[in-house]
Amino acid sequence: MSDMTEMIATRYCNEDGKEDFGDYVRNEDEEMDLEEVAEPWEKYDKQITADVFYPIRLGDLINERYLVEHKLGSGGFSTVWMANDRQNNRDVALKILFAGESGEKEIRLQDELVRNVRDTSHFVTYLETFLLPGDGCHHTVQVLPLMGPCMYGPQVLKMSMTTRMSAARQLLEALEDLHEAGIVHRDLNEKNCMWGMEPLHHLPRSAKYEALGRPLKQMIPVDNLWKQGELVGPAKVPENLRTERFYLGDFGLAKKVSDPVTPRGWPQCNIALRTACIDKIPVLPATCHVPFSTFYNGGIIGGFVMSLGPLPEEWKGLYTHPEGRDSWYDQNQTPDPSWSLESKIERLHPNADPVERSHVLSIMSRVFTYDPAKRLTATQLLRDPSFRAIMENYGC
């Protein structure tokens, strides 16, 4: 790991404008399109938030080594950029955390993972870390291997069932290895689960943009910003560049089971910690649908109750969000038949084989249960007869 006290500078390499680093928005429609996919510009304004992001321009050269060429995405804690490592002639991902967030716990966790996990081939871990000086602060940077598309529902729906099932199996195998090392991820979501990508480092930038889409960008509209930066639309990885390998990344909320301290993260409520701080609920890319409604009063917890029935009575009072409902703990109520797991399977996959539907219902009913001790673990699910039957049906 790099010396985390070292402060690295950024130099803009396109002052004369001769190199191609994408297109600035030309009209209001393009500006609105960019606004939908880029992080809020307020994340760069110190007058609005103390957790400011580091402003980046396409064409920035970081540490006289990493040339930023495209945007990969953003989240609550960081922005992620595609850069060419000129020292090793490879493309990498630069994950730049917000001001003051050291990422030290995640870095230590990744070190623990590399030392103790039996097979690390399905995990995205850092190649190098360093600090970038900011506006009276610093930003931690993780250099990561460049990966392909995330598990984005509409894109996954276009993939074959064999591909989806293979991803589900690979993810469960990764979780099994992680759990055997006494580590839980705690943040399984579509952004953290991704396919591999064929390398592009041998191509000129123009060919990379042809493959991934030309970056659409605009200057960050913050007055007196200490360094120029751009809001940039993310790259779009086409299917012909996607590999069949599946990976799990982003360990910002991960923890060792033996660690009594749980890292901060959303949601904070005790009920969520009871149900989600250990990842015994495996993500199945094959489903491609959100299993519980979030559009009714009470949000996701209300969706649980509609589909699974009342929350355990002993949990009453632990959920402090204003959307909380006393009715959630009424043990006399039953799941709404139109929102039961069985009805959802029938509604979303009406043409599925009845035997396969029964296998899926068997799995879901034992995965989506309130008591963590009763949920199937990754290991149990990999060996479950219903899961194995589905995998075998699709040659996985």
Side-chain angles (χ1 to χ4, degrees), residues 150-164 190 195 239 242 284-290 348-349:
C150 298
M151 194 183 68
Y152 180 55
Q155 292 178 341
V156 176
L157 280 170
K158 299 176 184 178
M159 298 176 183
S160 69
M161 286 298 294
T162 297
T163 295
R164 301 186 214 173
E190 61 182 19
W195 276 271
E239 186 170 349
R242 175 183 56 79
L284 294 182
T287 62
C288 301
H289 296 283
V290 176
L348 294 172
H349 299 283

Side-chain angles (χ1 to χ4, degrees), residues 78-304:
S78 64
T79 54
V80 186
W81 304 85
M82 174 179 164
N84 181 255
D85 179 358
R86 291 185 163 186
Q87 181 173 309
N88 291 321
N89 188 30
R90 62 182 174 186
D91 290 328
V92 296
L94 300 182
K95 179 180 179 180
I96 306 179
L97 302 182
F98 66 71
E101 175 62 34
S102 69
E104 183 179 352
K105 291 181 179 178
E106 179 181 1
I107 290 169
R108 286 205 306 265
L109 194 287
Q110 290 188 37
D111 291 338
E112 184 83 20
L113 185 157
V114 171
R115 284 195 302 267
N116 296 314
V117 171
R118 176 183 56 186
D119 178 6
T120 61
S121 62
H122 284 286
F123 299 103
V124 183
T125 56
Y126 72 86
L127 305 170
E128 180 189 15
T129 65
F130 54 82
L131 298 179
L132 275 175
D135 186 12
C137 59
H138 68 268
H139 298 260
T140 298
V141 181
Q142 293 183 28
V143 182
L144 302 164
L146 182 63
M147 290 293 142
C150 298
M151 194 183 68
Y152 180 55
Q155 292 178 341
V156 176
L157 280 170
K158 299 176 184 178
M159 298 176 183
S160 69
M161 286 298 294
T162 297
T163 295
R164 301 186 214 173
M165 293 300 178
S166 174
R169 178 184 53 76
Q170 291 181 66
L171 176 58
L172 284 169
E173 289 172 346
L175 284 175
E176 180 180 37
D177 289 339
L178 200 65
H179 295 168
E180 285 181 355
I183 299 172
V184 287
H185 189 277
R186 296 183 62 244
D187 194 20
L188 296 177
N189 64 64
E190 61 182 19
K191 288 186 177 182
N192 298 336
C193 303
M194 63 209 83
W195 276 271
M197 184 172 76
E198 297 291 345
L200 300 176
H201 60 265
H202 60 287
L203 298 176
R205 191 177 310 121
S206 59
K208 294 178 184 179
Y209 286 172
E210 185 176 345
L212 303 175
R214 292 184 58 77
L216 183 64
K217 59 185 182 178
Q218 71 175 89
M219 300 305 295
I220 297 172
V222 175
D223 293 335
N224 302 315
L225 191 61
W226 69 279
K227 174 190 177 297
Q228 286 190 320
E230 296 166 342
L231 300 175
V232 183
K236 300 177 181 178
V237 181
E239 186 170 349
N240 67 311
L241 291 181
R242 175 183 56 79
T243 72
E244 294 301 312
R245 293 280 292 177
F246 202 67
Y247 299 88
L248 178 61
D250 196 338
F251 299 91
L253 294 180
K255 63 170 290 187
K256 294 176 63 177
V257 175
S258 59
D259 189 347
V261 178
T262 298
R264 73 180 180 126
W266 177 263
Q268 295 280 350
C269 63
N270 288 337
I271 267 189
L273 292 178
R274 284 174 180 260
T275 59
C277 81
I278 56 175
D279 36 71
K280 281 194 174 183
I281 296 183
V283 175
L284 294 182
T287 62
C288 301
H289 296 283
V290 176
F292 303 105
S293 171
T294 61
F295 298 106
Y296 292 87
N297 289 339
I300 186 65
I301 304 297
F304 289 167

